[in-house]
Amino acid sequence: MSVEESNNCTYYKTGSIFESSIGYSRAVKKNNLIFVSGTTAIDYETNEIMFPGDAYNQTKYVISVIEEALTALGKVSTEATRIRVKLLNLCYCIGSKLSDVVRIRMFVGNIARDQNDIGKAISEMFKRKGIYPAATMVGDLKFVDEKMLVEIEADAVI
């Protein structure tokens, strides 16, 4: 995982094979805004899909990756401060947090089957903490790997 600065933006990269092959960042910070790219339940060290067949746990995993990106970019200064955050070992005191999220977009492979499990996980990660972002859920999509059940984007204001 790395944090880089250029073009008046700060970029957070996880090392995902998709980030390097396609050429994008997991998250981008511009001024007080953070935009987190569509995130799926991939273990970035092994490139394996986590929790195949389990939309609930994939969603919780995805939110933890989004929270990691927010944490990493929330503290970064304009002087190219570099920090490394280990996946699922977050330091909540250093940066942005889920309560800064103002919008989420959920993309679902099989919405009829998985919307309730995804909704339950979102509720646990956001609603139960008093966080109510604007949200959209779009379904019946195809992902690059059939084991992927949900992809989530997030926008935050810090």
Side-chain angles (χ1 to χ4, degrees), residues 1-36:
M1 286 148 223
S2 66
V3 176
E4 304 169 7
E5 288 197 27
S6 69
N7 302 317
N8 296 318
C9 291
T10 306
Y11 304 95
Y12 175 70
K13 298 182 180 187
T14 62
S16 157
I17 58 171
F18 299 112
E19 290 172 13
S20 61
S21 66
I22 297 170
Y24 70 95
S25 299
R26 174 65 39 221
V28 177
K29 178 182 176 189
K30 176 88 173 187
N31 300 321
N32 67 329
L33 304 174
I34 297 176
F35 304 95
V36 183

Side-chain angles (χ1 to χ4, degrees), residues 97-101 122 125-133:
K97 50 199 172 300
L98 285 181
S99 61
D100 295 323
V101 172
I122 293 294
M125 302 297 285
F126 288 97
K127 181 181 172 188
R128 290 186 185 165
K129 298 175 184 176
I131 306 166
Y132 298 91

Side-chain angles (χ1 to χ4, degrees), residues 3-6 9-10 75-83:
V3 176
E4 304 169 7
E5 288 197 27
S6 69
C9 291
T10 306
K75 181 66 174 181
V76 174
S77 74
T78 57
E79 299 166 359
T81 303
R82 295 195 182 267
I83 60 174

Side-chain angles (χ1 to χ4, degrees), residues 29 48 53-54 132 136:
K29 178 182 176 189
E48 295 293 320
D54 185 345
Y132 298 91
T136 301

Side-chain angles (χ1 to χ4, degrees), residues 58-126:
Q58 279 195 13
T59 302
K60 290 189 80 164
Y61 187 89
V62 166
I63 296 298
S64 73
V65 173
I66 289 170
E67 191 166 23
E68 174 189 319
L70 294 171
T71 301
L73 289 181
K75 181 66 174 181
V76 174
S77 74
T78 57
E79 299 166 359
T81 303
R82 295 195 182 267
I83 60 174
R84 293 181 65 84
V85 181
K86 198 160 175 78
L87 188 61
L88 300 177
N89 185 17
L90 306 175
C91 179
Y92 296 98
C93 62
I94 66 169
S96 182
K97 50 199 172 300
L98 285 181
S99 61
D100 295 323
V101 172
V102 297
R103 179 174 186 77
I104 58 173
R105 291 170 208 82
M106 298 161 279
F107 304 95
V108 183
N110 185 328
I111 199 161
R113 180 190 67 208
D114 295 332
Q115 68 179 337
N116 291 333
D117 288 337
I118 293 166
K120 179 181 176 188
I122 293 294
S123 177
E124 289 175 8
M125 302 297 285
F126 288 97

